Amino acid sequence: YLFMKRFGAFEFEDIKKLLLADIAKIFSDPTPLHTYPDMMAKVLYRVIQDIENKYLGDASKIWSDNPSSETLVNRFNDFYSVGPKNANMAANILIRQFKIPLKDKIAINISTEIYTKRVLQRLELISENASNDEIIKKAQEIYPSYPGIFDYSVREIGTNWCTPTNPDCKACYMVKYCPSKTI
């Protein structure tokens, strides 16, 4: 959004005309829009090319054919510099915020962020040394038809209350279930 606002247009037809150097300049001047503006410029440039070439300039074709969740996550994974975490987050956003229908939600997993690990550890759902695979497996075990359903809630808890130091257990809606609460 900030990039497009700075660019002055919000239509794909306009942005697809930009060269990598143009995108890098917009990301950098007058102040950087990202911690790594050159890297993000390259990512955005490659994404624009993929949307143009694979989806005929229409990003909604990524999901408009009502794909399976596995297909959707794989489509996001195919974009340059997108890994499983961001692919799952993108799929979750489409479902949660935009109500995009899919054949299923089984392949959309929870993000394995540091707050996810902290919250699940404090709830004693995973061990202290749990791997990312174990975090995903636990979410799949708890809610097999849509393991990613926990993503937003766990992020909210980890960001607002279950902080690394001085957690605000009284304010957290999971307090009555949390064996690690500090009240």
Side-chain angles (χ1 to χ4, degrees):
Y1 171 79
L2 294 175
F3 176 89
M4 299 299 276
K5 189 174 177 183
R6 186 177 280 181
F7 174 52
F10 287 85
E11 298 300 321
F12 187 78
E13 290 302 313
D14 298 318
I15 196 173
K16 77 177 187 180
K17 297 173 187 172
L18 293 172
L19 302 173
L20 177 56
D22 300 327
I23 294 172
K25 184 169 176 40
I26 294 167
F27 257 105
S28 298
D29 294 332
T31 58
L33 292 177
H34 191 274
T35 307
Y36 305 104
D38 291 337
M39 179 192 72
M40 288 308 298
K42 185 176 180 181
V43 169
L44 180 58
Y45 179 77
R46 298 271 304 263
V47 166
I48 292 166
Q49 302 308 307
D50 281 349
I51 291 171
E52 178 65 16
N53 298 326
K54 293 178 184 176
Y55 300 103
L56 306 174
D58 183 356
S60 72
K61 289 183 178 184
I62 298 168
W63 60 83
S64 64
D65 60 344
N66 191 32
S68 69
S69 56
E70 182 176 17
T71 296
L72 180 63
V73 170
N74 286 336
R75 287 175 182 169
F76 281 122
N77 265 325
D78 285 344
F79 282 101
Y80 174 77
S81 195
V82 172
K85 178 179 74 174
N86 288 331
N88 280 285
M89 288 171 82
N92 264 317
I93 289 167
L94 286 175
I95 291 168
R96 188 178 59 251
Q97 291 180 255
F98 297 101
K99 311 297 185 225
I100 299 297
L102 297 178
K103 288 182 182 159
D104 62 70
K105 298 174 188 162
I106 195 167
I108 300 173
N109 289 309
I110 193 167
S111 299
T112 54
E113 302 281 357
I114 189 71
Y115 58 79
T116 305
K117 192 169 191 175
R118 180 175 57 250
V119 170
L120 295 183
Q121 283 173 350
R122 288 181 179 166
L123 288 170
E124 295 184 5
L125 294 171
I126 61 169
S127 67
E128 190 174 321
N129 59 352
S131 68
N132 289 346
D133 288 341
E134 289 172 303
I135 293 169
I136 291 169
K137 193 172 190 170
K138 179 52 76 172
Q140 291 170 338
E141 178 185 305
I142 296 170
Y143 203 80
S145 63
Y146 181 19
I149 197 166
F150 303 111
D151 207 44
Y152 182 79
S153 300
V154 170
R155 173 175 303 209
E156 181 180 51
I157 293 166
T159 302
N160 296 319
W161 308 291
C162 196
T163 54
T165 57
N166 302 317
D168 187 4
C169 297
K170 286 182 185 178
C172 180
Y173 53 82
M174 291 299 290
V175 67
K176 66 182 176 181
Y177 308 105
C178 186
S180 304
K181 61 187 168 233
T182 59
I183 57 171

